[in-house]
Amino acid sequence: MRVLLVEDDDMIGRSLMQALESAGWSVDWVRDGLLAQSAMSDGGYTCVLLDLGLPKQDGTEVLRRARERGDLTPVLVLTARDGLDDRIQNLDLGADDYVLKPFEFRELLARMRAVIRRRDGSAHSLVGTLALQLDLTTREVLIEGEREALTAREFALLHALLERPGAILSRDQLEHRIYGWGEEVTSNAVDVLIHGMRRKIGPDAIRNVRGLGWRVVPA
Ligand code: CA
């Protein structure tokens, strides 16, 4: 999944880019409105994170032009502008959601999932392989079609692994997906979680790749 990050602030941009990549996103980062407009015209993004106060062209203008072209890519506006008029104007122009800075990264990810689901329709709420799927709406796992409930951490673990079946995720990447920033994580937390997960979904569903991390074998 590819996200266009439009942010002129170096520090925010860098930390968002890093966090998004750890969350399994491919990120294209641009720092002004004109580059944002041309990147959006090229297309191919699952969603766009759009700052409003930008050099060369305001984020609101980028959004207005994209919608005028018929570009329906989900756009989340990220901004410190909390005025009611700004919110209304951008939602009316076709922003899918509006996130005020500063925000919790996990909430941003959840909002990204929500706007993507809304755009795709509920038929696309399943991710994973034929044998192992995750229902993003009910937060259940489907093992050969049989549904099982998951805890929040089990869901986060499987979501990370099943977004890109076959991709190896390191311990750091998984911890980043499962635990919040600043949360205390014991050194074997991921192992314990995967051990429990294997009892639920079968011993071979999540494979360890020695020294690198874990992966789900694509169907
Ligand atoms: Ca800005």
Side-chain angles (χ1 to χ4, degrees), residues 130-150:
L130 279 178
L132 193 63
Q133 290 178 305
L134 199 61
D135 187 327
L136 301 180
T137 309
T138 64
R139 302 173 81 87
E140 293 166 314
V141 64
L142 284 78
I143 308 137
E144 314 263 338
E146 288 286 319
R147 288 178 177 268
E148 280 269 359
L150 295 169

Side-chain angles (χ1 to χ4, degrees), residues 6-9 12 31 51-55 78-81 101:
V6 186
E7 174 59 75
D8 62 318
D9 183 287
I12 298 174
R31 299 155 197 250
D51 181 30
L52 291 186
L54 292 168
L78 306 182
T79 183
R81 293 183 197 167
K101 294 172 181 169

